[in-house]
Amino acid sequence: MAKYDSTLSECFTALGDPTRRRILERLARGEASVSELAAPHDMSLPSFMGHLTRLEAAGLITTRKQGRSRLCALAPEAFAPATDWLATQRSLWEGRLDRLDSYVTTLMKDRSS
């Protein structure tokens, strides 16, 4: 069994919310200020900041202060644990499905004989 990885759990928890996913989609186009990121979302700024805090805690974004603005940027390297885990799961399940397909094909051949 795989060891518990809190980084992976934080990443998937952060990705589990549609508002946070939309923030990440926007940041994929480049750095943005908090006010620019918050504009399309119908929520209070403190609630929105909670989403940014969760993304930053998961390491998916970085923030920096520039003058009176706080700028956010995507941290693409932080997605590596999730993509690695997903790749492992995909490989595992593709192998299982290939074996199932072979088994069903063998059964069908035996039936028709």
Side-chain angles (χ1 to χ4, degrees):
M1 177 178 268
K3 231 170 72 174
Y4 175 75
D5 183 355
S6 64
T7 304
L8 185 61
S9 294
E10 286 180 21
C11 181
F12 280 119
T13 298
L15 293 171
D17 183 85
T19 298
R20 292 191 286 268
R21 290 192 304 270
R22 285 195 303 273
I23 293 167
L24 293 172
E25 288 169 5
R26 167 52 193 89
L27 290 175
R29 297 192 317 258
E31 191 175 65
S33 68
V34 169
S35 57
E36 181 184 345
L37 291 171
H41 302 280
D42 186 26
M43 65 179 68
S44 68
L45 190 56
S47 294
F48 185 78
M49 291 302 295
H51 288 291
L52 293 181
T53 300
R54 177 67 65 121
L55 290 169
E56 194 169 21
L60 299 176
I61 67 168
T62 60
T63 62
R64 66 183 176 86
K65 189 96 165 139
Q66 183 177 348
R68 295 178 63 184
S69 297
R70 178 154 297 281
L71 298 175
C72 301
L74 199 59
E77 68 282 355
F79 290 86
T83 56
D84 293 346
W85 185 85
L86 289 168
T88 300
Q89 294 304 307
R90 180 182 183 138
S91 177
L92 173 81
W93 282 100
E94 284 176 347
R96 288 176 177 174
L97 291 172
D98 288 345
R99 288 189 299 278
L100 177 61
D101 185 54
S102 294
Y103 177 71
V104 170
T105 301
T106 301
L107 283 177
M108 295 304 288
K109 284 181 184 175
D110 289 348
R111 261 189 168 173
S112 63
S113 301

